[in-house]
């Protein structure tokens, strides 16, 4: 299950419609979307609140911003890091670099 907070200009493409156009197996029924018109958007914190409000009792939650970029096998690495904590309540967090800085050390 996924929850999306979408803040768009009316001329922007709808993210779920576009994704389902690309992938007909998009599992639309597993996605909750909160759409906020751009002129009513109040920034990242209210958007994160809307995104979290769409979740129920999921075991895991991954929260990203639209500019996030992922390395290959990021999901396997994240799970391995979580297992290494030996704590089922562990929270993994980071502050992502700008997309242009993704390969800089």
């Amino acid at each position: 299950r996924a929850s999306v907070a979408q803040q768009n200009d009316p001329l922007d493409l709808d993210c779920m419609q576009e994704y389902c156009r690309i992938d007909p197996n998009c599992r639309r029924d597993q996605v909750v979307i909160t759409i906020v018109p751009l002129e009513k958007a109040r920034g990242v914190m209210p958007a994160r609140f809307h995104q979290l409000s769409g979740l129920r009792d999921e075991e895991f939650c991954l929260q990203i911003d639209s500019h996030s970029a992922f390395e290959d096998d990021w999901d396997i690495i994240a799970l391995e890091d979580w297992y290494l904590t030996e704590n089922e309540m562990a929270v993994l967090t980071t502050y992502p670099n700008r997309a242009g800085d993704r390969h800089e050390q």
Side-chain angles (χ1 to χ4, degrees):
R1 190 174 141 78
S3 177
V4 175
Q6 183 172 300
Q7 301 180 118
N8 286 46
D9 183 279
L11 300 176
D12 289 339
L13 294 172
D14 178 274
C15 66
M16 195 69 207
Q17 289 177 351
E18 184 64 11
Y19 178 63
C20 290
R21 185 187 68 75
I22 295 167
D23 181 358
N25 301 313
C26 65
R27 297 187 262 178
R28 173 66 182 96
D29 60 324
Q30 294 181 11
V31 180
V32 174
I33 298 181
T34 302
I35 297 175
V36 178
L38 186 60
E39 66 275 3
K40 293 187 179 193
R42 296 293 175 251
V44 68
M45 294 309 290
R48 290 182 177 148
F49 169 79
H50 288 303
Q51 184 271 324
L52 287 173
S53 296
L55 298 177
R56 292 194 183 121
D57 61 349
E58 279 70 30
E59 289 188 49
F60 292 95
C61 175
L62 171 67
Q63 192 168 61
I64 61 170
D65 293 333
S66 60
H67 57 81
S68 297
F70 293 90
E71 297 293 331
D72 291 342
D73 300 322
W74 68 269
D75 51 344
I76 295 167
I77 295 165
L79 281 174
E80 287 173 350
D81 285 350
W82 180 73
Y83 286 127
L84 286 172
T85 68
E86 297 181 6
N87 177 351
E88 69 178 33
M89 302 303 286
V91 174
L92 304 180
T93 185
T94 186
Y95 189 84
N97 293 332
R98 295 177 303 159
D101 295 341
R102 42 190 297 221
H103 294 292
E104 293 181 15
Q105 298 295 319

